[in-house]
Amino acid sequence: MTIEERINELRDKLNHHNYMYYVLDRPEIPDYEYDMMMRELIKLEEEHPEFKTPDSPTQRIGGEPIKEFEPFTHVVVMQSLANAFTEGELRDFDRRVRSSVGDVEYVVELKIDGLSVELIYENGIFTIGSTRGDGYVGENVTNNLKTIKSIPLRLKDNLNLIVRGEVFMPRASFEKLNEERELNGESLFANPRNAAAGSLRQLNPKITAKRDLDIFVFNLQRIEGVELKTHVEALEFLKEQGFKVSPHLKKCKNIDEVIEDINYIRTIRDSLPYDTDGAVVKVNDLEKREILGSTVKDPRWAIAFKYPAERQKTKVKDIIVQ
Ligand SMILES: NC(=O)c1c(N)nc(OC2CCCC2)nc1O[C@@H]1CCC[C@@H]1O
């Protein structure tokens, strides 16, 4: 086996085991074996940098700090979401949707309380990742995103696609981070969302790599050469390509089932290992989404439902953001 073949073999093996451990939570080998392969790859790449590829798992360690983030103009505008606070407002949303496209199936997802990012893949390779910013221009945080182990550096197929997801910090990691910061006399993060935002917008990727960030992918923004009919199909497809997709995805025949599922989420959300700030209701049929279109800033085919307790948090967050 040539050096290049050994480097490629280690890269593919490590990317596979990374997927098993961080996306499926089903490790196949002991950490020690993974670490030994990673150590060999680091050494070989240092000796033969010409064989290093952009999807090498050594990129997850984090490179050198940068001075500032490059602005990045999104290929597809990153919309935000209108809010509903009551059942009545959900039914108003449903009436508006049905008056325009007739009866629809909905999908209910958890609304992960993190920060929204766009990931661009070219020929199956993760090439650019950015924060949402104002929806049009965000920050290029590619190298920091590469340290998030549940973001695939290479897809199963060599596809050109753009996805959106929510980067978050699990609550336990947030509490551990604040304990460490308190011991070091550093300022504390107010909540996991701020900790995730602060960690992703770190100028030193080696610090980001230590922050235990995770991601759920929730929207396929664009894809070439693949026809998909519904949002559920799109998320299934993204799972097959190696992404970690929001675990609670409920397909609903009508708004009554949506309300039922939203009430169910209310009972489980405090037991989840990550913060949510509501639920998201989306039209499942992608063609009907096209017909419904968007307002200047929000899609007409989706709405966020905020639980009563959220109201206070939403206000506080908005004040900080403003
Ligand atoms: N935070 C989430 O878990 C989430 C989600 N599961 N699904 C969407 O779908 C929106 C995005 C584009 C049109 C519909 N948005 C989410 O978060 C949004 C992103 C920006 C503002 C909200 O946080």
Side-chain angles (χ1 to χ4, degrees), residues 78-81 109-114 116 132 164 166 218-219 221 246 277 280 282 299 301-302:
M78 290 176 72
Q79 300 169 306
S80 69
L81 274 173
E109 298 170 16
L110 299 173
K111 189 166 182 298
I112 309 299
D113 194 9
S116 191
R132 180 167 170 269
R164 275 190 71 175
E166 195 86 357
F218 57 65
N219 222 46
Q221 298 283 88
S246 200
D277 62 337
V280 183
K282 300 174 180 176
W301 44 264

Side-chain angles (χ1 to χ4, degrees), residues 260-276:
E260 211 175 300
D261 192 53
I262 282 180
N263 289 331
Y264 167 68
I265 291 173
R266 189 199 310 257
T267 67
I268 60 160
R269 53 198 287 267
D270 292 342
S271 63
L272 297 170
Y274 40 80
D275 276 4
T276 59

